Amino acid sequence: MGLFRRRRIGAKPRELVSQTTLDNAFDRRTFVIGAGMGGIGTILAARMAYIGIAENERWVLESESNRVNLSLIPPRRGWILDRNGAPLASNRADFRVDVIPDRISDKGATITELAKILDLSSNNVADITKRIDEARGFQPIEVATGLDYDQFAAISVRLPDLPGVVPQRGFSRFYPTGPSVGHLIGYVGPASAEEYEERPDPILITPGYKIGKDALESQFEDELQGEPGARRVEVTASGRIVRDLETREDKQGAPVRLTIDGPLQDYAARRIGLESGSCVVMDCESGDILCMSSMPSFDPNSFSAGIGRVEYSMLRDDERVPLRNKVLSGLYPPGSTVKPMHCMAFLDAGIKPEETIICGGGRRIGNRFFNCWSNHGQVDMAKAIYQSCDSYFYHFAQQIGFEKVAEWAHKMGLGEEFDLPVTSQFYGTVPEPSWKQRKYDQAWQPYDTVNASIGQGYYLVNPLQLAVMTSRLATGYKVVPHLRMDDPRTEFEHFDFSADEIDYVRKAMSDVVNGPGTAGRARLPIEGVQMAGKTGTAQVVSLSISNGKTGPWKYRDHGLFVFFAPFDKPKYAGAVVIEHGGGSGSAYPIARDVMTFLLDPVKGMEALRPLEEQWGGNAQQRLDAKYRAYAAAAGEVVQPVPQRTEQIFDQVEAEARLAQRQSEAMAAEAVSSRNEGSRPPSSSASTSAPTSPPSARAPAATQGGTSE
């Protein structure tokens, strides 16, 4: 026993545990734990107070967003109206479907399902797939527009299974006359990724919102776009809409009223028919542009809905370039249409109207003989205009120097750019010695004066400039063109010509149509109203390649006609240019019918209806038929649409500039004489022909001018 009670040497004595000791230990632990819990509770309480008070607004919004969706409502664009208030571009109620790539879980399955519901063709599916692949993830992609209610409902009920698909009811842009206003008005489309990066506004990536992409739609974007609305809806966890809570209506954009006469614009486009060309009509008294038609054209409704690869390929492959605005971007030698204006330069230089020359079929200048298109005998200024005698202009242009003529060409509007709300103007060339020296580092030659005196050589103008020139010739005032009704108007400057001189040139231009001139078939079928004008034929290839009237379409001469009416008190003036029409005979019948419609719409339509029956319908009907035929022939082997539709028109403009340089390349040759005769019936047919490269153009065998 003693051994067990004996303490081990060095062992620590045992502590005695009492009740007091246990109580003290428990109290200490309770305090520590309580303090910790109290601290945690205080922190939680403080955090809850912070969340509930300081961040109350944030969390209310977060919770509300789980229950409520807020979406922007694309605003309705302002209408573009004609001078009488009729719509050239309007809006119409629309069911549509878009997709947002970022939100699509299975692209292939989603597109397949949409194609099944909406009955999309394989080309449509290919276009949509390509646009989705190339778009930024946040950028809405249009799948279909103009849906009927059953299609819209079929998509709506499947939304839980189609993430990223956005069906909506809204308004889409609508162009009532389609291709008649394609080049004038332009079109709308979704904002590109570049446009969003430049202006990161949420409305730009809202499905259904579109901006102006070309022409007037683009120029007036700030006024037309309007202000977006907003919509709050209660939704389930899966995103299904339970009910509408609140809607703030959008504010429609402001209307833009143009000087254009809508019915005249449509009529002129239709009357150009199967030709490739343009027609411009102006009000001489105000400068208002009543018509700027360029055909063939495109349907802006197609571009606004997202043009498909088949339609794009059809337009891109057409040798008549329906994507080019021929009024502003088409440049042509003016031919004999400038001869009355050249006579004004002669008058200003002191040449008397009664001064005559003898035209023996041409004119010898220096050691070369330059042909006229006919043997006109004794020719004064009036006969030089209405018989379009080249010899007269060869002689007097050499006598006064072409610098003087070029000065008046600029005064009359040629080679000038006008202050108009358009995206692009080609202002062409009015040649003269200092210009040639600057551009080509070459001296002006006698044949340069010969060519330029009859509107050939380096001379290039657009149809709008020809219309402005004619309005200034007809009135004696510096008429300034306007395209918007509320543009400020100023009093036009009067040219320093006497009333007798202006009347003299007017009368000579009247004789072109109503007397012994070159355009008798241009007479108006309206009692008591006479139209004055001047024909023009612009050579495009050498005589060794083509006679200008027959053969491949691309080798035929351009046909031009400038006009004003009534001739004794001009109210309207204009110009018609027909590309490769085979001569002026392709242009002045169109001018006659357009002016007839302007003065007497019933008679104008009587002239148009039998022609459209022969052609296969109006412009829209022919375009639709051409698309169906092209699609059937092309199948799926067609060129894809560029990612940005703006690239299409950039390319078209680049090609137009190239065509301008090719025309200038032929200007060093003396122009071949053309003898204007009856126009072959086949020249208005839609024929195709291979084009010749510039290097294939042979030099002219003879020198001379064009006949009108």
Side-chain angles (χ1 to χ4, degrees):
M1 294 289 291
L3 293 173
F4 289 103
R5 292 179 180 174
R6 190 180 297 164
R7 294 182 177 176
R8 294 175 56 190
I9 297 176
K12 199 173 182 180
R14 293 178 62 186
E15 294 182 5
L16 298 177
V17 178
S18 65
Q19 183 64 40
T20 302
T21 303
L22 291 173
D23 289 343
N24 289 339
F26 181 79
D27 289 344
R28 285 194 301 272
R29 292 172 183 172
T30 302
F31 176 78
V32 171
I33 293 171
M37 295 295 290
I40 293 172
T42 301
I43 292 172
L44 289 174
R47 178 62 178 166
M48 292 174 66
Y50 178 76
I51 291 172
I53 298 172
E55 292 193 325
N56 176 69
E57 184 176 353
R58 173 192 168 189
W59 294 108
V60 167
L61 290 174
E62 289 281 354
S63 62
E64 184 72 1
S65 68
N66 290 330
R67 183 182 70 90
V68 176
N69 275 353
L70 178 66
S71 58
L72 293 174
I73 299 174
R76 293 159 292 165
R77 288 180 71 80
W79 287 20
I80 299 178
L81 308 172
D82 78 349
R83 63 187 301 107
N84 300 311
L88 298 173
S90 61
N91 305 311
R92 62 179 176 184
D94 184 30
F95 290 116
R96 53 180 289 113
V97 173
D98 298 296
V99 295
I100 300 177
D102 266 351
R103 302 179 187 174
I104 298 176
S105 57
D106 187 336
K107 181 183 70 175
T110 299
I111 295 175
T112 300
E113 185 66 15
L114 290 175
K116 186 187 304 181
I117 298 171
L118 302 177
D119 193 25
L120 301 177
S121 69
S122 57
N123 276 322
N124 292 142
V125 171
D127 289 335
I128 294 165
T129 303
K130 181 176 182 293
R131 290 202 295 268
I132 292 175
D133 289 340
E134 294 178 346
R136 302 291 177 91
F138 53 77
Q139 186 179 1
I141 303 300
E142 184 172 292
V143 173
T145 187
L147 305 179
D148 59 39
Y149 181 77
D150 290 340
Q151 290 174 313
F152 178 78
I155 295 291
S156 298
V157 299
R158 291 172 171 81
L159 285 184
D161 302 322
L162 296 171
V165 176
V166 185
Q168 56 184 343
R169 286 175 288 188
F171 293 88
S172 63
R173 203 58 159 165
F174 178 60
Y175 305 91
T177 53
S180 296
V181 297
H183 293 294
L184 172 68
I185 303 297
Y187 66 99
V188 298
S192 65
E194 292 82 2
E195 287 164 331
Y196 178 71
E197 289 173 356
E198 184 178 333
R199 180 168 69 98
D201 188 335
I203 189 62
L204 292 180
I205 56 174
T206 300
Y209 182 73
K210 295 182 178 180
I211 61 175
K213 291 287 188 176
D214 189 45
L216 299 184
E217 288 278 24
S218 174
Q219 291 296 105
F220 295 128
E221 175 64 22
D222 291 342
E223 298 172 59
L224 294 171
Q225 65 184 352
E227 297 178 9
R231 181 187 182 206
R232 294 175 67 241
V233 294
E234 186 175 356
V235 297
T236 64
S238 63
R240 186 186 295 274
I241 295 176
V242 176
R243 60 193 174 103
D244 285 331
L245 297 178
E246 183 183 3
T247 300
R248 185 191 73 200
E249 296 297 333
D250 65 296
K251 184 177 179 181
Q252 185 171 359
V256 171
R257 191 176 174 194
L258 306 179
T259 61
I260 295 294
D261 184 314
L264 182 67
Q265 173 78 17
D266 185 51
Y267 182 92
R270 292 168 61 181
R271 180 58 185 85
I272 292 172
L274 305 182
E275 301 284 9
S276 174
S278 56
C279 176
V280 181
V281 180
M282 293 178 59
D283 185 317
C284 294
E285 297 174 353
S286 64
D288 289 353
I289 300 174
L290 305 180
C291 161
M292 288 175 63
S293 296
S294 171
M295 297 299 286
S297 183
F298 59 90
D299 185 355
N301 293 300
S302 294
F303 273 84
S304 297
I307 188 167
R309 61 173 59 199
V310 173
E311 186 170 2
Y312 164 69
S313 184
M314 177 190 74
L315 296 171
R316 185 72 184 84
D317 293 344
D318 192 334
E319 69 173 348
R320 303 193 179 203
V321 199
L323 294 173
R324 182 184 301 168
N325 183 346
K326 297 172 176 64
V327 171
L328 299 174
S329 299
L331 290 177
Y332 314 93
S336 296
T337 59
V338 294
K339 288 178 177 177
M341 180 269 291
H342 288 184
C343 286
M344 302 299 282
F346 297 165
L347 290 171
D348 186 56
I351 305 298
K352 302 299 182 184
E354 59 272 15
E355 288 188 49
T356 63
I357 66 156
I358 301 298
C359 172
R363 199 78 179 166
R364 181 167 295 280
I365 297 173
N367 61 354
R368 301 174 68 180
F369 187 82
F370 295 89
N371 291 335
C372 180
W373 69 273
S374 183
N375 188 329
H376 294 100
Q378 187 170 349
V379 181
D380 61 7
M381 185 177 288
K383 186 175 180 180
I385 293 174
Y386 66 71
Q387 282 291 309
S388 201
C389 176
D390 296 331
S391 299
Y392 183 91
F393 295 92
Y394 298 159
H395 175 80
F396 286 109
Q398 294 285 346
Q399 180 171 317
I400 71 170
F402 205 77
E403 298 94 331
K404 185 70 174 179
V405 178
E407 176 188 341
W408 271 99
H410 283 291
K411 289 181 180 180
M412 289 292 180
L414 304 186
E416 299 298 311
E417 190 172 7
F418 306 111
D419 185 16
L420 296 171
V422 295
T423 53
S424 176
Q425 291 183 65
F426 286 18
Y427 48 86
T429 302
V430 175
E432 46 90 24
S434 61
W435 169 86
K436 186 179 180 183
Q437 190 66 49
R438 286 195 311 271
K439 183 162 185 178
Y440 296 106
D441 194 24
Q442 295 176 4
W444 188 264
Q445 301 297 326
Y447 66 77
D448 289 321
T449 298
V450 168
N451 287 343
S453 71
I454 57 171
Q456 289 277 178
Y458 294 105
Y459 234 136
L460 289 173
V461 301
N462 68 40
L464 176 61
Q465 292 171 341
L466 289 176
V468 172
M469 176 196 74
T470 309
S471 67
R472 294 179 179 182
L473 273 174
T475 62
Y477 286 88
K478 188 178 180 179
V479 178
V480 178
H482 297 283
L483 193 52
R484 187 168 180 177
M485 287 298 289
D486 56 3
D487 279 348
R489 304 294 201 273
T490 57
E491 187 174 348
F492 297 146
E493 172 190 348
H494 189 272
F495 293 121
D496 190 20
F497 288 108
S498 68
D500 288 343
E501 290 172 324
I502 294 170
D503 287 343
Y504 183 91
V505 173
R506 276 188 199 159
K507 179 62 170 61
M509 293 180 72
S510 174
D511 285 343
V512 170
V513 177
N514 307 296
T518 56
R521 288 192 296 126
R523 294 173 187 169
L524 295 178
I526 299 174
E527 188 69 29
V529 180
Q530 291 186 331
M531 178 173 71
K534 183 69 190 80
T535 54
T537 296
Q539 178 181 336
V540 295
V541 295
S542 301
L543 188 62
S544 60
I545 296 176
S546 171
N547 64 7
K549 293 182 177 299
T550 59
W553 179 75
K554 278 285 189 180
Y555 295 164
R556 300 177 193 173
D557 296 337
H558 298 317
L560 305 92
F561 187 68
V562 297
F563 56 93
F564 61 86
F567 101 89
D568 51 347
K569 189 178 181 182
K571 169 66 176 173
Y572 305 110
V576 172
V577 177
I578 301 301
E579 294 181 334
H580 309 291
S584 61
S586 62
Y588 55 73
I590 295 173
R592 174 199 63 208
D593 291 347
V594 168
M595 285 303 299
T596 299
F597 177 83
L598 181 58
L599 300 170
D600 189 337
V602 174
K603 283 188 176 180
M605 290 306 300
E606 288 175 353
L608 179 61
R609 287 192 190 99
L611 293 174
E612 288 192 328
E613 290 177 5
Q614 175 187 342
W615 296 331
N618 61 32
Q620 183 69 66
Q621 292 167 338
R622 294 196 307 274
L623 185 61
D624 292 342
K626 182 177 180 180
Y627 171 77
R628 290 192 297 270
Y630 187 92
E636 297 184 17
V637 187
V638 291
Q639 187 175 354
V641 182
Q643 182 177 351
R644 296 171 59 250
T645 53
E646 297 94 324
Q647 293 175 356
I648 297 173
F649 293 93
D650 290 344
Q651 179 65 25
V652 169
E653 182 165 318
E655 291 172 353
R657 295 189 185 280
L658 178 61
Q660 174 185 354
R661 290 196 294 271
Q662 290 174 343
S663 179
E664 289 180 353
M666 199 181 73
E669 305 172 1
V671 179
S672 305
S673 179
R674 300 304 206 212
N675 181 14
E676 181 125 346
S678 59
R679 184 165 175 260
S682 61
S683 61
S684 64
S686 182
T687 58
S688 62
T691 59
S692 173
S695 59
R697 292 173 176 162
T702 58
Q703 290 77 44
T706 59
S707 63
E708 322 307 337

